Amino acid sequence: MSDRATVPEVRSASSAAVPDAGSAKARRLRWNPALIAGVVLLGGTGLTVLIASLVIGDGAARLSADIAQPASGEHWLGTDYFGRDQLARALVGAEASLIMALAATVISMSIGVLAGAAVWTAPRRVRELALRFVEITVSYPELLVAVVLAAILGAGRWQLVVAVAVANIPATARLTANLSGALYQRDFVTTARLSGVPRRAVIGRHLLPNMAEPLLIQVAAAFSTGLVAMSALSFVGLGVQTPDFDLGRLLADALPSIYSRPLEVVGPTLLILLLSVGAMLIGDGLAAAVDPRVRRRTTARAETPAGSAPGASTAPVVVRDLAVARADGTPLVRGVSFEIGRGEIVGLVGESGSGKSLTALSLARLLPEGLTATASELRAGGIDLLGRPTRRELADTVAMVYQDPGTTFNPALRMGTQLTEVLRVHRGLSKSAARSVITDLLAKVHITDPERVLRAHPYELSGGMRQRAMIAAALAAEPALLVADEPTTALDTTVAAGILRELGRIRDETGTSILFISHDLGVVEELCDRVLVMKDGEIVEELTCEALRAGAVTAPYTRMLLDSVPRLAVRS
Amino acid sequence: MSGLAVADLTVRFGRMTALDDVRVTVPAGQTVGLVGESGSGKSTLAKAILGIVPVAAGRVLLDGAEVPVRELTRRVRMVPQDPYSSLNPRRTIGQTLAEAVDPARARVGRHRDRIEAALAEVALPADAADRYPHEFSGGQRQRVAIARALICEPEVVIADEITSALDVSVQAEVLRLLDRLRHERSLTMLFISHNLAVVEQVSDEVVVLHHGQVVEAGPVDDVFAAPQADHTRALLAAVPGGGRSPEGTIVE
């Protein structure tokens, strides 16, 4: 995937769908095999068909004396009972199918997209009604709707186009409505509405450009399914009628003599296949190209540089020369070394992108995919994290508490099930034993009614309660190291103060080493014994908490951070 | 009186009362800080003022008179919280600002001078107008959002948690900018935040909201130095890293 610099930007292919996506931020289209194959297949076939039918013109209908010939140099696919060249007929028929499919796609996309986007700018009542209506129409299979419509409208190529286009509108409208719904909640749309931007401008400027990619994929899908549906309808006699012909009509004509002259079905079948598969591949390729997750495929693993000597330190947690890099070699964390003593709380401070979370995730061996960590020593509670610790060893040694207690629990399961999981799975405790251990731990983190909490679903608890429960669960394995990644950032200050007190108490009572990550120097100086300040992946300063409180910092970056923290000047 | 006034405002969501008889006055040229914890109704108040959520009772007064929503949204502008969600990724900064000046046509060329002046005011270079949001950092984006709110010279600005999505150093920079603007342009501003220290830095007066009710209101210095309500005291006590004055000496 290194060839992405040479290709043009994603531009709007369908003018109806995407008014000005082309002028958007210069994102490059990432070519992939499916996209290349699709473009070659559809482009090649389509071009051949168009040029051929221009050259052949009426020749496809010309009768000749060569009746029912087999394949020959003159007639590559033979001739039919009227002496017409099969290849010429297939190519001209394909042109008709192609144009009809394009027309149906343009109609269904324009109407579907406009309807789907307009639904969201309508008043609430109208919107609810319209959304329900779209949902109901989507539940009818497209082909069935097309068949019924074709039967009502009567035979003929434009009737067929309308039938297939209308049948495809609900799917497009629902996709657009769903995409618009998500965008509509975004602040930039709210701001635009508040500043009096007219409805059609909200759609044209804010909604459509931001859903260009999914709509492009939908265009490809609509074209492909439309082509097949039209061929099917013509095949059963509901579409194009003789003397007109498209690919479906040709297949129907070839059917009676399929045993005597199987060659007749080859041309139309092959063209339907090439065109629809080509369009499908373009759709798939586009989907893959806009999905950023497909871009990286690398592994995450801790690598031991040669000669990793066991350190002399006796501290429970030792990190030596930790480096984290992207797959392409970009360093994100460099030369980070520190120790955490027993019962010590070390704060890791820095702003977004400083590498503080990556440092912590390396310790828990939870680095995101595509990142590689290396170190000369990485140890916690007697476990060499550079080796291959089992999941159980890891779960028993390092516990993590995350930032957002709202998303760390599965909303569908009761707290009891989730909190006892580590004990049941890793320690092999029975359900009741695990429950009683957790009940004690919950009581320890000052949850007043542990039984009720265990029975509750996560959404029934407040953020502070969930965070306390998470800390209790983290302590269940009696870990040597507790990594707390911004555990109070998502909480209200009064609740956060309680959580900080809890962490301090745990340290005093259990002697657990705690790595406390935060961007908030105020929080850190309240809780930690020692503070490491990180910037751009490196530790720029190490401070005792007293030094931090007294403002005795040396690194200019720390000074700047400290000055940035808003402080109350007047206090009671 | 001139400025923004919210009189006896009540907002209900179903059976839940989000705002209960709330009274807030933002005198012209003053900044009123609105503090409270999550769920206290801070953002609901902003939305109710702008007519985004329906009001069960009470009035929103601008210069002492009720005005229709269309006129109100023209005279009162909001800076949203998240700079990553408040700018359309597919439009240049210039297009975004042009839309604020001229919602219907949003032509950049016609308003070029005004756009550049607005950018200069928030200390962004003129060529920023031709660039897209992804080329800017969070702090710069928030400056753009501020420029968008100020470009049409609104009478009142509502800033809803505009620094809480930012790093501390960037937050400090945005706060400095806001502090300068509010003195230079004598802004009338309702500044919403959960962070008391931030509110203290940029506000003249403060209103403390708790469970949808105003529990305390008054000049910042008075309220923070001698809080009357228990909830205000609890909020002040919970501010981390306390005990040190800005000069760096320890106060016990």
Side-chain angles (χ1 to χ4, degrees):
Chain A
M1 315 224 166
S2 55
D3 51 350
R4 58 199 181 94
T6 56
V7 290
E9 294 174 24
V10 187
R11 287 206 176 265
S12 47
S14 150
S15 57
V18 274
D20 64 16
S23 63
K25 57 181 174 185
R27 277 169 316 164
R28 301 283 176 180
L29 186 61
R30 292 183 296 274
W31 288 88
N32 53 49
L35 192 55
I36 295 168
V39 168
V40 168
L41 218 56
L42 186 64
T45 315
L47 219 60
T48 314
V49 164
L50 291 180
I51 293 170
S53 38
L54 274 179
V55 174
I56 297 163
D58 290 338
R62 194 182 306 129
L63 310 181
S64 75
D66 306 332
I67 289 171
Q69 295 283 313
S72 64
E74 198 179 341
H75 305 290
W76 288 3
L77 289 176
T79 59
D80 64 5
Y81 281 109
F82 299 97
R84 296 175 294 200
D85 183 72
Q86 292 290 359
L87 181 62
R89 279 178 75 74
L91 288 170
V92 175
E95 191 213 16
S97 286
L98 202 61
I99 290 170
M100 282 157 57
L102 276 176
T105 308
V106 168
I107 294 172
S108 72
M109 286 306 293
S110 325
I111 298 179
V113 165
L114 282 181
V119 159
W120 274 96
T121 57
R124 212 167 65 92
R125 289 262 170 83
V126 180
R127 179 171 71 213
E128 290 300 321
L129 218 64
L131 286 176
R132 290 300 90 74
F133 178 73
V134 168
E135 271 160 30
I136 291 167
T137 50
V138 163
S139 63
Y140 293 98
E142 276 170 42
L143 193 57
L144 197 68
V145 175
V147 166
V148 172
L149 283 175
I152 295 171
L153 292 171
R157 64 171 57 182
W158 295 113
Q159 286 89 325
L160 183 60
V161 168
V162 171
V164 170
V166 170
N168 198 29
I169 288 174
T172 309
R174 185 170 68 163
L175 175 74
T176 316
N178 288 350
L179 293 168
S180 306
L183 285 171
Y184 214 65
Q185 315 297 330
R186 300 275 295 271
D187 285 340
F188 64 81
V189 180
T190 312
T191 311
R193 277 163 51 221
L194 284 178
S195 39
V197 175
R199 192 174 299 174
R200 94 197 114 70
V202 169
I203 296 177
R205 285 181 213 150
H206 297 293
L207 295 183
L208 294 182
N210 283 297
M211 47 171 123
E213 290 95 348
L215 288 181
L216 274 178
I217 296 164
Q218 175 72 4
V219 167
F223 175 83
S224 176
T225 53
L227 183 83
V228 173
M230 284 180 196
S231 303
L233 289 177
S234 288
F235 180 72
V236 299
L238 280 169
V240 178
Q241 302 295 322
T242 326
D244 286 342
F245 58 95
D246 67 348
L247 291 172
R249 186 72 243 164
L250 287 176
L251 269 185
D253 291 344
L255 193 66
S257 53
I258 190 162
Y259 293 112
S260 53
R261 297 178 33 73
L263 202 58
E264 272 194 41
V265 301
V266 169
T269 313
L270 204 64
L271 282 165
I272 291 176
L273 212 62
L274 287 175
L275 290 172
S276 63
V277 169
M280 289 278 193
L281 283 173
I282 289 180
D284 275 2
L286 280 176
V290 299
D291 186 350
R293 283 171 302 179
V294 183
R295 241 187 310 182
R296 305 186 208 114
R297 18 154 221 208
T298 39
T299 51
R301 65 177 183 281
E303 277 172 4
T304 321
S308 114
S313 171
T314 54
V317 179
V318 180
V319 176
R320 285 265 162 274
D321 308 318
L322 175 73
V324 178
R326 269 203 213 120
D328 60 9
T330 320
L332 300 172
V333 170
R334 277 164 306 189
V336 166
S337 304
F338 60 90
E339 292 174 5
I340 308 178
R342 197 178 138 73
E344 192 181 22
I345 303 184
V346 170
L348 198 53
V349 198
E351 300 197 279
S352 9
S354 62
K356 56 188 194 306
S357 286
L358 289 178
T359 304
L361 290 171
S362 310
L363 271 168
R365 298 203 39 153
L366 286 173
L367 276 182
E369 260 185 54
L371 300 184
T372 322
T374 54
S376 60
E377 189 174 1
L378 198 62
R379 200 157 50 74
I383 302 259
D384 182 10
L385 294 167
L386 293 171
R388 297 207 162 274
T390 61
R391 291 170 70 94
R392 183 182 160 168
E393 279 176 334
L394 206 58
D396 281 356
T397 313
V398 184
M400 284 203 74
V401 175
Y402 300 93
Q403 171 171 351
D404 186 357
T407 56
T408 33
F409 290 107
N410 181 339
L413 299 176
R414 288 180 194 280
M415 294 298 283
T417 320
Q418 307 188 53
L419 293 177
T420 55
E421 190 179 353
V422 174
L423 290 173
R424 286 181 292 115
V425 176
H426 293 296
R427 288 286 169 87
L429 260 63
S430 74
K431 208 172 163 190
S432 57
R435 226 177 156 83
S436 82
V437 171
I438 288 289
T439 310
D440 289 349
L441 286 167
L442 287 177
K444 268 197 183 152
V445 292
H446 295 114
I447 286 180
T448 40
D449 188 357
E451 288 296 333
R452 189 185 68 82
V453 170
L454 288 177
R455 279 194 309 273
H457 283 100
Y459 67 85
E460 295 171 89
L461 304 175
S462 68
M465 286 278 252
R466 281 193 292 242
Q467 200 62 295
R468 279 170 195 271
M470 183 136 97
I471 291 171
L475 293 175
E478 293 166 21
L481 171 66
L482 179 67
V483 179
D485 190 355
E486 305 255 9
T488 60
T489 309
L491 303 174
D492 284 325
T493 37
T494 48
V495 182
I499 297 288
L500 294 181
R501 275 197 298 276
E502 218 57 71
L503 287 171
R505 200 189 47 73
I506 286 163
R507 181 264 317 264
D508 295 342
E509 288 179 8
T510 64
T512 311
S513 307
I514 300 180
L515 181 63
F516 186 90
I517 300 167
S518 181
H519 68 279
D520 190 337
L521 277 167
V523 171
V524 166
E525 76 173 44
E526 185 128 319
L527 180 73
C528 300
D529 304 308
R530 216 147 39 88
V531 181
L532 307 169
V533 183
M534 281 190 82
K535 179 179 190 275
D536 299 333
E538 287 175 303
I539 294 180
V540 293
E541 187 163 15
E542 183 174 342
L543 287 162
T544 62
C545 195
E546 289 73 34
L548 181 63
R549 277 204 204 103
V553 300
T554 47
Y557 179 71
T558 319
R559 176 87 264 160
M560 191 274 291
L561 268 187
L562 212 50
D563 291 343
S564 301
V565 178
R567 307 218 177 232
L568 283 176
V570 206
R571 291 186 74 91
S572 50
Chain B
M1 58 151 275
S2 59
L4 174 76
V6 172
D8 311 326
L9 199 73
T10 300
V11 171
R12 292 198 188 90
F13 297 124
R15 259 179 295 164
M16 207 265 287
T17 306
L19 289 177
D20 188 6
D21 223 8
V22 167
R23 257 177 228 219
V24 176
T25 312
V26 190
Q30 300 267 298
T31 297
V32 172
L34 186 63
V35 295
E37 308 209 298
S38 40
S40 61
K42 306 184 296 282
S43 292
T44 306
L45 181 58
K47 287 180 183 156
I49 292 171
L50 292 164
I52 305 176
V53 296
V55 171
R59 293 181 303 163
V60 176
L61 304 172
L62 209 52
D63 291 343
E66 264 188 288
V67 292
V69 174
R70 269 206 169 275
E71 193 188 327
L72 187 96
T73 50
R74 191 167 50 75
R75 291 164 65 182
V76 180
R77 285 292 156 107
M78 174 147 118
V79 183
Q81 168 172 359
D82 182 2
Y84 291 89
S85 154
S86 71
L87 300 177
N88 185 341
R90 299 292 175 94
R91 291 178 73 75
T92 61
I93 303 306
Q95 286 172 323
T96 295
L97 294 178
E99 187 174 79
V101 181
D102 176 10
R105 278 170 295 277
R107 300 255 164 75
V108 181
R110 198 176 296 171
H111 305 288
R112 191 93 210 173
D113 294 345
R114 226 170 137 183
I115 290 169
E116 284 178 7
L119 286 172
E121 198 158 38
V122 295
L124 284 174
D127 67 0
D130 301 316
R131 282 149 60 191
Y132 288 93
H134 74 273
E135 299 171 55
F136 295 91
S137 68
Q140 290 172 320
R141 287 183 199 214
Q142 202 57 291
R143 286 160 185 266
V144 173
I146 293 171
R148 172 174 56 187
L150 296 182
I151 195 169
C152 43
E153 299 183 355
E155 287 159 50
V156 180
V157 174
I158 298 179
D160 186 4
E161 296 272 11
I162 60 168
T163 62
S164 50
L166 306 173
D167 275 328
V168 273
S169 61
V170 183
Q171 164 173 297
E173 164 203 313
V174 170
L175 288 176
R176 272 196 300 275
L177 168 73
L178 216 55
D179 209 34
R180 175 169 66 76
L181 287 175
R182 95 187 158 98
H183 289 117
E184 277 178 15
R185 296 191 41 167
S186 54
L187 289 181
T188 308
M189 181 160 63
L190 182 62
F191 185 87
I192 302 174
S193 178
H194 67 281
N195 189 327
L196 282 84
V198 168
V199 167
E200 184 189 40
Q201 198 177 328
V202 295
S203 308
D204 302 302
E205 289 180 34
V206 62
V207 173
V208 183
L209 216 53
H210 185 46
H211 294 321
Q213 290 176 321
V214 175
V215 293
E216 185 156 7
V220 169
D221 294 352
D222 298 358
V223 171
F224 282 17
Q228 300 300 309
D230 290 342
H231 185 66
T232 317
R233 252 175 255 136
L235 281 179
L236 283 166
V239 172
R244 180 148 57 77
S245 69
E247 288 75 42
T249 50
I250 296 171
V251 183
E252 287 299 336

